[in-house]
Amino acid sequence: MAQASNRDLTELIMRPNTGTVGKQVRVRSNFFEMTSLPAQNIQRLNIQFLPEGTSLPVRRKLWKCFEDSPKGRAFLNKIKPVFDGRANLFSPKPLKCGDDNLGISFEVNLQQGNRSRGVFKLKIKPVGVINMGELQLLLDGKSLITSNCLMAIRVLETLFHHSPYMHYTTMGRSFYTLQGKRPLRNGAEVWQGFNQYARPTQGKMMVNIGVSSIAFYQPGPLHEMLPKLLGRRSLGELRRGIPDSERIKVEKILKNLEAVVVHRGAEKRLKYKINKLTPTSAENTVFKDDTGNEVTVAQHFQNTYNRHLAFPFLPCIVVKKNTFLPMEVCEVVSGQCPVETPSDYQKGEMIKFTWNTPNVRANLINQGFNVLDYKDDPYIQQFGVSVKPDMTMVNARVLPAPKISYHASASFTPVGGTWSLRGKKFANGATLESWSVVNFASSINDGSVRFFIRELGQMFIDKGLVSWFLFLFIYLFQEKKKTWFILIFHLLLFLL
């Protein structure tokens, strides 16, 4: 493999030496050492999915479906290649792709429950071999970085991501589990997740594991989700209908959300994508049935499924072109449609959920390592990779606290990383043109207010604020039968 040319390399300034200031300590990091790498070359194959434009989530489902099929098992012959979700397949052993080894095609019937989503074609063709031994030379400083080294790192990235993508709810580079999830307002919930990256370091490869979180809509009956989205206490508050403005708001949230129907039994829980809501309720939404007669959605479910709707006053969801489904026969699928713009309350709750002390975060990272279960992963085993189960210990230094000066007249050193502003004066105080005090409490007398203003003004002076201050007092007094306002303006001038 040819090495990268000089013009492709960036000249970096060499580190002159290691630091010595501070107290020497040992700390744990969220890196886990790979104690063995693939000793063999890795075959790289290209997968083409037809028809063109097949989405990335569907590609993973197609590969999983092919891998589990009789044709797939015969082709793979117990070999465990890993798929990057786009067009690359990496195999720990050579796969024979046709008599001339120039490519092979398969047809895959993608199933969703008992329903077929169509027949797709997979074209698999070898495109190269990756020398994994060259990666170790790079780590040892005996080789320049090459395209082969970059591809070797990509192989390891794909290897560690393969199983989580196949078995967990994923979003971006992270995967999420149900463990420790917490409900939020407005029909959402926050999930705990993990991310992992293969990282080259001096002399060895590492797996970097981190924690993440994301908000999903809560799974379950769709009609129970409606009052949560609208901030109502119960469905009873919606008996008189939903205003158009609120219906449009809910429609934007639910659009493209996937739901399964539950009125036809466990074997026919078909999945649909919500397009919109009907402007009328189930008892007022009319369509023509198979006989050509006009019938309401509520009557249709009574006549066809012998199901009396408990909430006929709710709108229906519209799926496909003109298929109407009552909300109460639909359930939201778990782990989908992330909340893109959480409310302020949801953001606050997510911050509480994700903030952790270092020891708690370390425990979460170790928990993620256990969930990933590298030692029993058949794909990682066949590639010949093993990972040390302990966090890597690294040398560190606790630097001395810097001196802080608010004013030229005084400086101090923080203790424990914190300090108080008591007795501190700002070097350049802000200029206040005016400020006001408003008293809405009838129980606080004028004397207490004047004392507060005097202390507040003195604090401004002590902190170095510069201004002539204008004080405006508005007193609100309330008697038993009459509320009245007395506006009193006091101008107190402080010359600094």
Side-chain angles (χ1 to χ4, degrees), residues 9-59:
L9 301 177
T10 301
E11 291 187 8
L12 301 177
I13 298 175
M14 297 296 292
R15 184 176 185 176
N17 205 342
T18 57
T20 58
V21 177
K23 178 184 177 182
Q24 297 285 340
V25 294
R26 295 273 290 171
V27 297
R28 287 184 294 170
S29 67
N30 59 334
F31 283 81
F32 296 81
E33 180 184 347
M34 298 186 203
T35 53
S36 65
L37 296 176
Q40 75 280 19
N41 291 340
I42 302 299
Q43 184 186 29
R44 180 187 175 194
L45 304 100
N46 174 266
I47 307 181
Q48 184 182 5
F49 294 87
L50 297 174
E52 293 184 359
T54 303
S55 66
L56 299 185
V58 172
R59 292 184 187 190

Side-chain angles (χ1 to χ4, degrees), residues 228-246:
K228 297 176 183 177
L229 295 176
L230 295 174
R232 306 294 178 85
R233 288 174 294 182
S234 66
L235 285 168
E237 298 183 21
L238 304 175
R239 287 188 176 276
R240 296 185 178 181
I242 303 175
D244 286 343
S245 60
E246 292 189 338

Side-chain angles (χ1 to χ4, degrees), residues 31-96:
F31 283 81
F32 296 81
E33 180 184 347
M34 298 186 203
T35 53
S36 65
L37 296 176
Q40 75 280 19
N41 291 340
I42 302 299
Q43 184 186 29
R44 180 187 175 194
L45 304 100
N46 174 266
I47 307 181
Q48 184 182 5
F49 294 87
L50 297 174
E52 293 184 359
T54 303
S55 66
L56 299 185
V58 172
R59 292 184 187 190
R60 288 197 181 276
K61 292 177 182 178
L62 282 169
W63 175 253
K64 179 63 176 174
C65 185
F66 170 71
E67 193 177 31
D68 295 337
S69 68
K71 287 186 295 185
R73 288 194 294 269
F75 169 68
L76 297 175
N77 193 26
K78 298 183 179 181
I79 299 174
K80 297 286 186 181
V82 292
F83 176 48
D84 72 349
R86 295 183 178 274
N88 289 295
L89 189 69
F90 301 110
S91 177
K93 299 177 182 179
L95 292 171
K96 187 176 181 181

Side-chain angles (χ1 to χ4, degrees), residues 352-392:
K352 292 179 183 177
F353 182 80
T354 55
W355 184 90
N356 293 300
T357 57
N359 61 317
V360 172
R361 182 169 288 268
N363 290 336
L364 286 173
I365 291 170
N366 283 319
Q367 176 185 315
F369 183 91
N370 293 332
V371 170
L372 291 164
D373 196 18
Y374 295 137
K375 62 181 176 59
D376 293 326
D377 187 309
Y379 296 90
I380 293 178
Q381 286 180 348
Q382 196 167 103
F383 271 77
V385 175
S386 57
V387 182
K388 192 175 181 179
D390 303 315
M391 282 184 164
T392 300

Side-chain angles (χ1 to χ4, degrees), residues 284-319:
N284 293 318
T285 300
V286 178
F287 71 100
K288 288 186 178 181
D289 61 15
D290 295 336
T291 63
N293 297 323
E294 288 192 344
V295 62
T296 67
V297 173
Q299 291 170 342
H300 173 74
F301 271 76
Q302 179 69 57
N303 298 338
T304 306
Y305 304 107
N306 193 28
R307 183 182 181 117
H308 176 73
L309 297 183
F311 307 100
F313 51 86
L314 296 179
C316 299
I317 65 169
V318 182
V319 299

Side-chain angles (χ1 to χ4, degrees), residues 148-194:
N148 179 83
C149 291
L150 294 175
M151 189 58 68
I153 295 173
R154 185 173 177 182
V155 168
L156 296 174
E157 284 268 307
T158 304
L159 174 62
F160 286 110
H161 284 130
H162 183 81
S163 291
Y165 274 127
M166 292 297 180
H167 299 104
Y168 296 99
T169 299
T170 59
M171 195 61 56
R173 304 294 294 271
S174 299
F175 68 95
Y176 299 89
T177 69
L178 295 174
Q179 187 173 355
K181 69 176 182 177
R182 184 180 301 173
L184 301 174
R185 285 184 183 176
N186 304 111
E189 59 186 13
V190 59
W191 286 28
Q192 179 75 61
F194 305 95

